[in-house]
Amino acid sequence: MPVPTGGRILGLETSCDETAAAVITGDGRILANVVSSQAELHARFGGVVPEVASRRHLELVIPVTREALGEAGIELAEVDAVAVTQGPGLVGALLVGLAAAKALAWANHLPLVPVDHLHGHVASLYLQPERVEPPFLCLLASGGHTLLIDVAEPGGFRVLGTTLDDAAGEAFDKGARLLGLGYPGGAAIDRLAREGDPAAFDFPVARVPGLDFSFSGLKTALLYAVRDLPEDELERRRADLAASYQRAIVRALVRRTHEAAEQTGATKLAVVGGVAANSELRAALPDAAFAPLPLCTDNAAMIASAARYTDAVPLPGYLALDAYASG
Ligand code: KG4
Ligand code: ZN
Protein backbone atom coordinates (compact mmCIF):
# COMPACT_ATOMS: atom_id res chain seq x y z
CA MET A 1 0.00 0.00 0.00
CA PRO A 2 1.33 3.42 -0.79
CA VAL A 3 2.43 5.08 2.44
CA PRO A 4 3.69 8.65 1.91
CA THR A 5 7.46 9.05 1.66
CA GLY A 6 7.66 10.44 5.16
CA GLY A 7 5.01 8.03 6.50
CA ARG A 8 5.93 5.21 8.85
CA ILE A 9 5.20 1.51 8.70
CA LEU A 10 5.44 -0.66 11.79
CA GLY A 11 6.31 -4.24 10.80
CA LEU A 12 5.98 -7.41 12.88
CA GLU A 13 7.47 -10.81 12.10
CA THR A 14 6.89 -13.98 14.16
CA SER A 15 6.82 -16.78 11.57
CA CYS A 16 9.51 -18.97 13.13
CA ASP A 17 11.92 -18.40 16.00
CA GLU A 18 12.66 -14.69 15.67
CA THR A 19 10.39 -12.16 17.34
CA ALA A 20 10.96 -9.02 15.30
CA ALA A 21 9.56 -5.50 15.02
CA ALA A 22 10.74 -2.68 12.79
CA VAL A 23 9.81 0.82 11.74
CA ILE A 24 10.55 1.99 8.20
CA THR A 25 9.55 5.04 6.20
CA GLY A 26 7.36 5.00 3.13
CA ASP A 27 10.46 5.43 0.97
CA GLY A 28 12.24 2.46 2.55
CA ARG A 29 14.53 3.96 5.18
CA ILE A 30 14.97 1.80 8.29
CA LEU A 31 14.30 3.75 11.49
CA ALA A 32 14.46 0.70 13.77
CA ASN A 33 15.00 -3.02 13.25
CA VAL A 34 14.76 -5.11 16.42
CA VAL A 35 15.21 -8.88 16.26
CA SER A 36 15.00 -11.07 19.33
CA SER A 37 16.22 -14.53 18.42
CA GLN A 38 14.95 -17.53 20.31
CA ALA A 39 17.76 -19.70 18.94
CA GLU A 40 19.25 -20.35 22.36
CA LEU A 41 15.90 -21.43 23.72
CA HIS A 42 15.51 -24.04 20.98
CA ALA A 43 19.17 -25.11 20.79
CA ARG A 44 18.85 -27.80 23.44
CA PHE A 45 16.08 -29.42 21.39
CA GLY A 46 18.23 -29.33 18.23
CA GLY A 47 15.59 -27.37 16.32
CA VAL A 48 12.56 -25.11 16.68
CA VAL A 49 9.80 -26.50 18.91
CA PRO A 50 6.60 -24.82 17.61
CA GLU A 51 4.76 -24.63 20.93
CA VAL A 52 7.82 -23.23 22.71
CA ALA A 53 8.21 -20.66 19.91
CA SER A 54 4.58 -19.49 20.17
CA ARG A 55 4.81 -19.00 23.92
CA ARG A 56 8.05 -17.05 23.59
CA HIS A 57 6.58 -14.82 20.86
CA LEU A 58 3.71 -14.09 23.22
CA GLU A 59 6.14 -12.88 25.88
CA LEU A 60 8.27 -10.87 23.49
CA VAL A 61 6.03 -9.35 20.86
CA ILE A 62 4.98 -6.26 22.84
CA PRO A 63 8.41 -5.52 24.43
CA VAL A 64 10.08 -5.90 21.02
CA THR A 65 7.50 -3.60 19.42
CA ARG A 66 8.04 -1.03 22.19
CA GLU A 67 11.78 -1.24 21.65
CA ALA A 68 11.41 -0.66 17.91
CA LEU A 69 9.19 2.38 18.44
CA GLY A 70 11.64 3.70 21.03
CA GLU A 71 14.61 3.19 18.71
CA ALA A 72 12.73 4.98 15.92
CA GLY A 73 11.95 7.77 18.39
CA ILE A 74 8.22 7.72 17.70
CA GLU A 75 4.94 6.99 19.45
CA LEU A 76 2.38 4.50 18.19
CA ALA A 77 0.22 7.49 17.26
CA GLU A 78 2.84 8.47 14.66
CA VAL A 79 2.60 5.14 12.79
CA ASP A 80 0.67 5.17 9.47
CA ALA A 81 0.25 1.42 8.84
CA VAL A 82 0.89 -1.92 10.52
CA ALA A 83 2.43 -4.75 8.49
CA VAL A 84 2.59 -8.35 9.67
CA THR A 85 3.70 -11.73 8.34
CA GLN A 86 0.61 -13.82 7.59
CA GLY A 87 2.47 -16.93 6.32
CA PRO A 88 4.10 -19.23 5.46
CA GLY A 89 5.54 -20.39 8.77
CA LEU A 90 4.54 -22.03 12.04
CA VAL A 91 0.84 -21.29 12.43
CA GLY A 92 0.91 -20.86 16.21
CA ALA A 93 3.88 -18.51 15.96
CA LEU A 94 2.30 -16.53 13.10
CA LEU A 95 -0.96 -16.15 15.01
CA VAL A 96 0.80 -14.35 17.85
CA GLY A 97 2.15 -11.67 15.50
CA LEU A 98 -1.10 -11.47 13.57
CA ALA A 99 -3.20 -11.03 16.72
CA ALA A 100 -0.81 -8.38 18.04
CA ALA A 101 -0.89 -6.52 14.70
CA LYS A 102 -4.68 -6.62 14.53
CA ALA A 103 -4.94 -5.22 18.05
CA LEU A 104 -2.41 -2.45 17.35
CA ALA A 105 -4.10 -1.50 14.08
CA TRP A 106 -7.61 -1.61 15.52
CA ALA A 107 -6.80 0.39 18.62
CA ASN A 108 -5.02 3.08 16.60
CA HIS A 109 -7.36 3.18 13.56
CA LEU A 110 -4.59 2.06 11.21
CA PRO A 111 -4.69 0.00 8.03
CA LEU A 112 -3.32 -3.55 8.37
CA VAL A 113 -1.16 -5.06 5.64
CA PRO A 114 -0.80 -8.86 5.68
CA VAL A 115 2.55 -9.82 4.16
CA ASP A 116 3.78 -13.07 2.65
CA HIS A 117 7.06 -14.02 4.34
CA LEU A 118 8.74 -14.94 1.04
CA HIS A 119 7.74 -11.63 -0.50
CA GLY A 120 9.25 -10.11 2.64
CA HIS A 121 12.62 -11.75 1.96
CA VAL A 122 12.60 -10.37 -1.59
CA ALA A 123 11.60 -6.95 -0.27
CA SER A 124 14.75 -6.89 1.89
CA LEU A 125 16.30 -5.75 -1.39
CA TYR A 126 14.02 -2.70 -1.64
CA LEU A 127 15.31 -0.97 1.49
CA GLN A 128 17.66 2.02 1.52
CA PRO A 129 20.50 2.73 1.14
CA GLU A 130 21.20 -0.18 -1.24
CA ARG A 131 17.89 -0.66 -3.03
CA VAL A 132 17.98 -3.20 -5.86
CA GLU A 133 15.61 -2.38 -8.69
CA PRO A 134 13.65 -5.16 -10.49
CA PRO A 135 13.65 -6.89 -12.91
CA PHE A 136 16.04 -9.53 -11.53
CA LEU A 137 16.36 -13.24 -11.04
CA CYS A 138 16.31 -14.01 -7.33
CA LEU A 139 17.62 -16.96 -5.36
CA LEU A 140 15.71 -17.15 -2.08
CA ALA A 141 17.48 -19.59 0.24
CA SER A 142 16.38 -19.83 3.86
CA GLY A 143 15.70 -22.38 6.57
CA GLY A 144 12.26 -23.13 5.20
CA HIS A 145 12.55 -22.42 1.46
CA THR A 146 14.82 -22.61 -1.55
CA LEU A 147 13.34 -20.89 -4.56
CA LEU A 148 14.46 -19.45 -7.84
CA ILE A 149 12.11 -16.65 -8.71
CA ASP A 150 11.61 -14.19 -11.49
CA VAL A 151 10.96 -10.73 -10.07
CA ALA A 152 9.52 -8.41 -12.73
CA GLU A 153 8.26 -5.71 -10.37
CA PRO A 154 8.37 -5.07 -6.60
CA GLY A 155 4.80 -6.26 -5.97
CA GLY A 156 5.28 -9.93 -6.71
CA PHE A 157 7.25 -12.75 -8.28
CA ARG A 158 6.98 -15.92 -10.35
CA VAL A 159 8.45 -19.18 -9.07
CA LEU A 160 10.77 -20.93 -11.53
CA GLY A 161 12.13 -23.66 -9.28
CA THR A 162 11.90 -24.89 -5.72
CA THR A 163 13.32 -27.60 -3.50
CA LEU A 164 11.76 -31.03 -3.76
CA ASP A 165 12.75 -31.93 -0.21
CA ASP A 166 14.95 -30.01 2.27
CA ALA A 167 15.61 -26.29 2.03
CA ALA A 168 19.24 -25.16 1.71
CA GLY A 169 19.22 -23.69 5.23
CA GLU A 170 17.69 -26.90 6.53
CA ALA A 171 20.54 -28.81 4.88
CA PHE A 172 23.02 -26.53 6.67
CA ASP A 173 21.20 -27.04 9.98
CA LYS A 174 20.97 -30.83 9.63
CA GLY A 175 24.63 -31.00 8.60
CA ALA A 176 25.63 -28.88 11.59
CA ARG A 177 23.74 -31.21 13.86
CA LEU A 178 25.58 -34.24 12.44
CA LEU A 179 28.86 -32.41 13.01
CA GLY A 180 27.91 -31.53 16.57
CA LEU A 181 27.80 -27.78 15.88
CA GLY A 182 24.44 -27.02 17.50
CA TYR A 183 21.40 -25.17 16.20
CA PRO A 184 21.03 -23.14 14.02
CA GLY A 185 24.03 -24.39 12.16
CA GLY A 186 24.47 -22.39 8.95
CA ALA A 187 26.71 -19.73 10.45
CA ALA A 188 28.67 -22.36 12.44
CA ILE A 189 29.39 -24.41 9.31
CA ASP A 190 30.34 -21.21 7.50
CA ARG A 191 32.91 -20.42 10.22
CA LEU A 192 34.33 -23.94 10.57
CA ALA A 193 34.54 -24.41 6.79
CA ARG A 194 37.14 -21.63 6.59
CA GLU A 195 39.62 -23.92 8.34
CA GLY A 196 38.86 -26.96 6.20
CA ASP A 197 39.60 -28.37 2.76
CA PRO A 198 36.50 -28.24 0.54
CA ALA A 199 37.95 -30.96 -1.72
CA ALA A 200 38.57 -33.41 1.14
CA PHE A 201 35.24 -35.22 0.73
CA ASP A 202 33.18 -35.74 -2.37
CA PHE A 203 29.57 -34.89 -1.53
CA PRO A 204 27.54 -34.98 -4.73
CA VAL A 205 24.21 -33.16 -4.91
CA ALA A 206 21.37 -34.86 -6.78
CA ARG A 207 20.54 -33.30 -10.13
CA VAL A 208 16.81 -33.12 -10.50
CA PRO A 209 15.00 -32.03 -13.69
CA GLY A 210 14.10 -28.43 -14.45
CA LEU A 211 15.18 -25.68 -12.09
CA ASP A 212 14.34 -27.50 -8.87
CA PHE A 213 16.69 -28.46 -6.03
CA SER A 214 17.16 -31.54 -3.87
CA PHE A 215 19.31 -31.60 -0.73
CA SER A 216 18.14 -34.62 1.22
CA GLY A 217 20.65 -37.03 -0.36
CA LEU A 218 23.51 -34.74 0.59
CA LYS A 219 22.60 -34.91 4.25
CA THR A 220 22.58 -38.74 4.02
CA ALA A 221 26.03 -38.67 2.39
CA LEU A 222 27.34 -36.63 5.32
CA LEU A 223 25.68 -38.98 7.77
CA TYR A 224 27.53 -41.95 6.20
CA ALA A 225 30.84 -40.09 6.12
CA VAL A 226 30.51 -39.18 9.80
CA ARG A 227 29.45 -42.71 10.74
CA ASP A 228 32.39 -44.28 8.92
CA LEU A 229 35.05 -42.17 10.65
CA PRO A 230 36.58 -43.30 13.95
CA GLU A 231 35.89 -40.86 16.80
CA ASP A 232 39.35 -39.22 16.96
CA GLU A 233 39.57 -39.03 13.19
CA LEU A 234 36.14 -37.37 13.08
CA GLU A 235 37.29 -34.67 15.47
CA ARG A 236 40.36 -34.03 13.32
CA ARG A 237 38.40 -33.86 10.07
CA ARG A 238 35.38 -31.86 11.17
CA ALA A 239 36.52 -28.70 9.39
CA ASP A 240 37.14 -30.70 6.19
CA LEU A 241 33.68 -32.21 6.44
CA ALA A 242 32.12 -28.78 7.01
CA ALA A 243 34.04 -27.26 4.09
CA SER A 244 33.18 -30.10 1.69
CA TYR A 245 29.54 -30.13 2.74
CA GLN A 246 29.21 -26.36 2.35
CA ARG A 247 30.94 -26.50 -1.04
CA ALA A 248 28.34 -29.04 -2.25
CA ILE A 249 25.39 -26.89 -1.16
CA VAL A 250 26.88 -23.72 -2.61
CA ARG A 251 27.73 -25.46 -5.89
CA ALA A 252 24.16 -26.70 -6.26
CA LEU A 253 22.74 -23.24 -5.57
CA VAL A 254 25.14 -21.49 -7.94
CA ARG A 255 24.72 -24.02 -10.74
CA ARG A 256 20.93 -23.78 -10.72
CA THR A 257 21.01 -19.99 -10.49
CA HIS A 258 23.25 -19.80 -13.55
CA GLU A 259 21.01 -22.25 -15.42
CA ALA A 260 17.96 -20.16 -14.56
CA ALA A 261 19.71 -16.99 -15.72
CA GLU A 262 20.56 -18.68 -19.00
CA GLN A 263 17.01 -19.90 -19.53
CA THR A 264 15.32 -16.62 -18.69
CA GLY A 265 17.95 -14.34 -20.14
CA ALA A 266 18.14 -12.50 -16.83
CA THR A 267 21.15 -10.25 -16.54
CA LYS A 268 20.63 -9.15 -12.96
CA LEU A 269 20.91 -11.62 -10.07
CA ALA A 270 19.94 -11.19 -6.42
CA VAL A 271 20.17 -13.46 -3.38
CA VAL A 272 18.05 -13.24 -0.21
CA GLY A 273 17.18 -15.34 2.86
CA GLY A 274 19.27 -16.66 5.75
CA VAL A 275 21.62 -18.64 3.50
CA ALA A 276 22.44 -15.42 1.61
CA ALA A 277 24.61 -14.65 4.65
CA ASN A 278 26.92 -17.52 3.69
CA SER A 279 30.40 -16.23 2.86
CA GLU A 280 31.20 -18.89 0.27
CA LEU A 281 27.92 -18.26 -1.56
CA ARG A 282 28.57 -14.52 -1.54
CA ALA A 283 32.02 -15.11 -3.01
CA ALA A 284 30.72 -17.61 -5.57
CA LEU A 285 28.24 -15.13 -7.07
CA PRO A 286 30.36 -11.97 -7.23
CA ASP A 287 28.06 -10.21 -9.67
CA ALA A 288 24.86 -10.82 -7.70
CA ALA A 289 23.23 -8.29 -5.39
CA PHE A 290 22.97 -9.78 -1.90
CA ALA A 291 20.61 -8.62 0.82
CA PRO A 292 22.64 -6.70 3.44
CA LEU A 293 23.84 -9.14 6.14
CA PRO A 294 21.48 -8.01 8.95
CA LEU A 295 18.54 -8.35 6.55
CA CYS A 296 19.31 -11.89 5.30
CA THR A 297 17.88 -13.76 8.28
CA ASP A 298 14.33 -13.13 9.45
CA ASN A 299 13.54 -9.55 10.41
CA ALA A 300 10.57 -7.19 10.37
CA ALA A 301 12.12 -4.42 8.24
CA MET A 302 11.73 -6.67 5.20
CA ILE A 303 8.07 -7.30 6.14
CA ALA A 304 7.39 -3.57 6.42
CA SER A 305 9.22 -3.12 3.11
CA ALA A 306 6.98 -5.67 1.36
CA ALA A 307 3.91 -3.90 2.77
CA ARG A 308 4.72 -0.94 0.53
CA TYR A 309 3.78 -3.16 -2.42
CA THR A 310 0.85 -5.05 -0.87
CA ASP A 311 -2.81 -4.03 -0.51
CA ALA A 312 -3.95 -3.12 2.98
CA VAL A 313 -7.05 -4.84 4.30
CA PRO A 314 -9.62 -2.37 5.62
CA LEU A 315 -11.46 -2.69 8.93
CA PRO A 316 -13.38 -4.87 9.77
CA GLY A 317 -12.07 -7.34 7.14
CA TYR A 318 -8.63 -7.63 8.66
CA LEU A 319 -10.00 -8.88 11.96
CA ALA A 320 -10.91 -12.13 10.17
CA LEU A 321 -7.45 -12.69 8.65
CA ASP A 322 -6.00 -16.12 9.36
CA ALA A 323 -2.40 -17.30 9.25
CA TYR A 324 -1.29 -19.88 6.67
CA ALA A 325 1.38 -22.53 7.13
CA SER A 326 2.52 -23.02 3.54
CA GLY A 327 2.47 -20.89 0.44
O1 KG4 B 1 15.64 -16.63 6.48
P1 KG4 B 1 15.86 -17.32 7.76
O2 KG4 B 1 16.22 -16.51 8.97
O3 KG4 B 1 14.61 -18.14 8.21
C1 KG4 B 1 13.69 -18.75 7.38
O4 KG4 B 1 12.85 -18.03 6.80
O5 KG4 B 1 13.79 -19.98 7.27
O6 KG4 B 1 16.96 -18.43 7.49
C2 KG4 B 1 17.51 -19.19 8.50
C3 KG4 B 1 18.46 -20.18 7.88
C4 KG4 B 1 18.94 -21.24 8.87
O7 KG4 B 1 18.78 -22.50 8.28
C5 KG4 B 1 20.40 -20.89 9.07
O8 KG4 B 1 21.21 -22.01 9.35
C6 KG4 B 1 20.76 -20.28 7.73
O9 KG4 B 1 19.62 -19.51 7.39
N1 KG4 B 1 21.96 -19.43 7.80
C7 KG4 B 1 23.10 -19.69 7.12
C8 KG4 B 1 24.04 -18.69 7.49
N2 KG4 B 1 23.43 -17.85 8.38
C9 KG4 B 1 22.16 -18.31 8.55
N3 KG4 B 1 23.40 -20.68 6.27
C10 KG4 B 1 24.65 -20.69 5.76
N4 KG4 B 1 25.61 -19.79 6.07
C11 KG4 B 1 25.35 -18.78 6.92
N5 KG4 B 1 26.29 -17.87 7.21
ZN1 ZN C 1 12.65 -16.32 6.50
Side-chain angles (χ1 to χ4, degrees), residues 209-223:
L211 291 172
D212 290 333
F213 300 89
S214 167
F215 291 106
S216 66
L218 176 64
K219 168 195 67 195
T220 312
L222 178 64
L223 172 72

Side-chain angles (χ1 to χ4, degrees), residues 2-315:
V3 167
T5 306
R8 290 154 182 135
I9 307 168
L10 169 68
L12 298 183
E13 151 65 39
T14 63
S15 69
C16 191
D17 62 342
E18 263 94 26
T19 316
V23 181
I24 72 160
T25 58
D27 58 349
R29 278 179 302 117
I30 300 174
L31 301 180
N33 187 25
V34 179
V35 181
S36 175
S37 172
Q38 307 178 3
E40 261 176 50
L41 185 68
H42 298 281
R44 64 193 163 111
F45 303 111
V48 179
V49 182
E51 183 61 22
V52 174
S54 308
R55 285 167 191 269
R56 194 75 178 134
H57 284 308
L58 213 46
E59 289 169 3
L60 290 174
V61 70
I62 297 303
V64 163
T65 302
R66 277 217 180 94
E67 197 179 326
L69 290 169
E71 219 171 81
I74 61 165
E75 304 284 335
L76 206 45
E78 294 169 88
V79 167
D80 298 284
V82 180
V84 64
T85 309
Q86 188 184 11
L90 302 169
V91 166
L94 287 161
L95 283 173
V96 176
L98 197 55
K102 284 177 188 178
L104 289 167
W106 183 76
N108 295 281
H109 312 286
L110 296 171
L112 184 81
V113 191
V115 171
D116 181 88
H117 183 79
L118 303 178
H119 185 202
H121 273 299
V122 178
S124 65
L125 296 166
Y126 305 143
L127 287 160
Q128 305 292 354
E130 294 170 75
R131 183 185 162 96
V132 182
E133 210 59 57
F136 51 77
L137 172 73
C138 184
L139 170 66
L140 190 170
S142 70
H145 296 88
T146 305
L147 299 171
L148 272 167
I149 54 190
D150 177 26
V151 183
E153 32 84 34
F157 55 77
R158 186 170 61 94
V159 176
L160 305 171
T162 184
T163 181
L164 302 178
D165 39 59
D166 293 349
E170 196 177 354
F172 270 106
D173 294 338
K174 287 180 175 171
R177 196 172 176 176
L178 288 170
L179 294 172
L181 297 174
Y183 171 85
I189 290 197
D190 196 348
R191 269 193 306 275
L192 185 61
R194 282 176 209 151
E195 299 156 29
D197 174 8
F201 293 86
D202 187 23
F203 290 133
V205 179
R207 288 204 80 150
V208 290
L211 291 172
D212 290 333
F213 300 89
S214 167
F215 291 106
S216 66
L218 176 64
K219 168 195 67 195
T220 312
L222 178 64
L223 172 72
Y224 290 155
V226 167
R227 209 184 50 185
D228 293 346
L229 284 174
E231 189 87 17
D232 54 336
E233 178 80 354
L234 175 62
E235 195 44 50
R236 213 170 50 77
R237 313 239 17 220
R238 242 158 33 121
D240 287 345
L241 285 163
S244 305
Y245 188 72
Q246 173 170 285
R247 173 64 50 94
I249 297 175
V250 168
R251 274 210 176 136
L253 293 173
V254 169
R255 192 174 60 204
R256 275 280 125 111
T257 303
H258 282 149
E259 283 166 2
E262 235 168 70
Q263 283 183 28
T264 58
T267 50
K268 204 163 167 183
L269 297 181
V271 190
V272 299
V275 178
N278 185 265
S279 58
E280 186 170 342
L281 182 61
R282 292 178 97 94
L285 287 170
D287 298 329
F290 278 78
L293 276 180
L295 300 178
C296 288
T297 44
D298 289 348
N299 64 86
M302 69 184 197
I303 301 302
S305 178
R308 293 181 296 152
Y309 309 101
T310 310
D311 289 336
V313 180
L315 191 71

